[in-house]
Amino acid sequence: MRIRSLTARVLLLATLWSALGLVTIAVAISALYRQGVERGFNNLLRAQLYNVVNSVSIGDGDSLAGSPALGDLRFSQPATGWYWLVEPLGNYATAPLASASLGVANLAVPDVEVTPFDQNYERFYEMADEVGNQIRVAETEVVLDDQGRAARFRVSGNLQVIEDEITFFTSRLYGALALVGIGGLIVNGLAILYGLKPLDRARRALERIRRGEAERIEGDFPSEILPLANEINALIDSNRRIVERARMQVGNLAHSLKTPIAVMLNEARTLDKSQEEVIASQAEAMQAQVASYLNRARIAAQRDSVLARTEAQPVLERLARVMRKLNADIAFDLIVEPDLTFAMEQQDVEEVVGNLLENAARFARTKVVTRVVMTTREDDLTDGRRGWIEVVVEDDGPGLAPEQIGEALKRGRRLDESKPGTGLGLSIVKEISGEYQGTFGLSRAGIGGLRAQLILPAVTKDTA
């Protein structure tokens, strides 16, 4: 899943890196501590081994004699896993010496080829004693007198001591690292949030521009973000100048064409009735065509502007009030989802919706229903990141057959010559919606007449 929030991305990466680092540190420290404990355990066994060696000699009757005092009560308590044992080597016969903890038990001797002695003539190996303790044994062989009589010396320790000590250490290590990790994540999170706060301010400034509450990004930004804010402000200023220039050119062109067309209409009144109707109708068509192309030029100049926005509720309610006054015998029902904003100029919204309402009123018998809701488009090239508003206008008139719908959308085509109009209304709606990358379609209405559906761009947080 793709994470769109920059803060969430940084926090996630910081958390993963911290967790990985702490786990690595915990494993490394645990391994090093185990090595240290085992090395210390071996040194303890070696020291005790040579204490036993120094305490034992050949006594009277060629027997082993000595009473090692290792200063550890575990060598006096049975079945502790802590034992010492001295066994004669060679041809002389004598009883072995053993710690009280070993009693009459014995310790197995591994093969020298399997566990050889090192350069100091020592070897360490692990085994289980007769009561099941896992023990480590330190062993050496020493010549005790000048006659070459020798003995095997062994001292063992219970390996559970190592495990208990390592468990005690690691439990506290992991607890300490967990506290450090949680504290580090909190500090990192606060630092990241504080560091990214200017970006959040910039985002809120863009939202204010999108909602029409501001015209520029204002605020004190750090040096890393200030160039971006300046460039956005420059882009907004440039876009505003382009829009104003386009509007001025459109106004100039409309003004320059207004007088010639008006002259043609006046001159037509001096002609015969048949000629007047032809010239007047053609002049009106020219007037509508000029207005249509001027609208297209104006929309092309500002359709991608962040300044183009119109709140749906007040505009549509105003259009509905006008239509109710002009058509007192027709009920105009308006259903608008709250807090909708078109990413369009107000006059373009009024143009497209007004044309649809006029067309519906022209053919409706008793009722026109308008529904405006938020929607989505499956074919949205912006990967679903843009919002859309659906405007549906239905009437209870005669409607159109499927084969008539295509004809109705053609410029200047009028299917009912008995009704007033130029036949340009629906084509203008189609062109304006297309300029805003929206869609327009006609179908059969649920209440019996024609259903006109518009999909127009919306202002959302994602399009700020």
Side-chain angles (χ1 to χ4, degrees), residues 199-255:
L199 284 178
D200 188 57
R201 293 206 311 271
R203 178 185 60 80
R204 291 197 298 269
L206 283 174
E207 286 186 356
R208 287 194 295 272
I209 294 174
R210 177 181 58 80
R211 293 193 298 264
E213 299 172 0
E215 294 185 355
R216 294 172 59 83
I217 296 180
E218 303 292 346
D220 184 17
F221 296 101
S223 58
E224 293 83 0
I225 302 177
L226 186 59
L228 175 62
N230 291 337
E231 288 298 323
I232 293 176
N233 285 335
L235 179 61
I236 292 174
D237 291 339
S238 175
N239 187 78
R240 185 182 293 110
R241 288 193 298 271
I242 292 173
V243 171
E244 292 301 326
R245 185 164 56 249
R247 286 175 175 169
M248 183 178 64
Q249 292 173 349
V250 165
N252 292 339
L253 182 57
H255 182 73

Side-chain angles (χ1 to χ4, degrees), residues 23-293:
V23 169
T24 302
I25 291 172
V27 171
I29 291 178
S30 298
L32 292 174
Y33 186 76
R34 175 177 286 276
Q35 293 176 5
V37 170
E38 291 184 348
R39 187 165 52 249
F41 191 78
N42 288 345
N43 290 335
L44 174 63
L45 292 180
R46 183 181 290 109
Q48 292 173 334
L49 176 65
Y50 285 103
N51 280 339
V52 175
V53 170
N54 293 331
S55 302
V56 174
S57 61
I58 301 296
D60 297 338
D62 296 336
S63 63
L64 295 172
S67 180
L70 302 181
D72 193 333
L73 292 178
R74 290 175 294 187
F75 287 101
S76 304
Q77 299 169 350
T80 60
W82 292 85
Y83 315 121
W84 60 264
L85 178 61
V86 182
E87 300 169 305
L89 293 176
N91 297 323
Y92 72 103
T94 183
L97 296 178
S99 63
S101 59
L102 185 60
V104 297
N106 199 0
L107 298 177
V109 180
D111 193 327
V112 175
E113 294 183 358
V114 176
T115 309
F117 288 92
D118 60 16
Q119 59 184 5
N120 296 323
Y121 213 75
E122 300 170 354
R123 64 175 179 168
F124 292 84
Y125 51 87
E126 297 177 3
M127 60 184 298
D129 64 10
E130 294 184 355
V131 295
N133 293 317
Q134 290 295 320
I135 62 175
R136 179 171 294 172
V137 180
E139 178 185 330
T140 189
E141 295 178 358
V142 178
V143 177
L144 298 176
D145 58 11
D146 52 5
Q147 298 181 19
R149 285 177 290 192
R152 177 187 295 117
F153 291 82
R154 288 188 284 173
V155 173
S156 71
N158 196 328
L159 289 174
Q160 189 61 41
V161 173
I162 294 178
E163 299 303 324
D164 291 344
E165 186 169 352
I166 291 175
T167 300
F168 177 82
F169 174 80
T170 54
S171 63
R172 280 150 182 78
L173 172 66
Y174 293 160
L177 289 178
L179 289 177
V180 171
I182 294 173
L185 288 177
I186 293 175
V187 173
N188 283 339
L190 293 176
I192 291 169
L193 291 175
Y194 178 75
L196 295 178
K197 195 173 181 180
L199 284 178
D200 188 57
R201 293 206 311 271
R203 178 185 60 80
R204 291 197 298 269
L206 283 174
E207 286 186 356
R208 287 194 295 272
I209 294 174
R210 177 181 58 80
R211 293 193 298 264
E213 299 172 0
E215 294 185 355
R216 294 172 59 83
I217 296 180
E218 303 292 346
D220 184 17
F221 296 101
S223 58
E224 293 83 0
I225 302 177
L226 186 59
L228 175 62
N230 291 337
E231 288 298 323
I232 293 176
N233 285 335
L235 179 61
I236 292 174
D237 291 339
S238 175
N239 187 78
R240 185 182 293 110
R241 288 193 298 271
I242 292 173
V243 171
E244 292 301 326
R245 185 164 56 249
R247 286 175 175 169
M248 183 178 64
Q249 292 173 349
V250 165
N252 292 339
L253 182 57
H255 182 73
S256 64
L257 292 175
K258 181 179 180 180
T259 300
I261 293 177
V263 171
M264 292 176 62
L265 289 173
N266 288 333
E267 289 298 322
R269 296 190 184 98
T270 64
L271 302 176
D272 296 337
K273 187 67 175 178
S274 60
Q275 293 176 327
E276 177 187 355
E277 291 178 355
V278 172
I279 295 178
S281 64
Q282 294 301 313
E284 289 173 355
M286 289 170 58
Q287 202 169 36
Q289 293 276 12
V290 168
S292 172
Y293 281 104

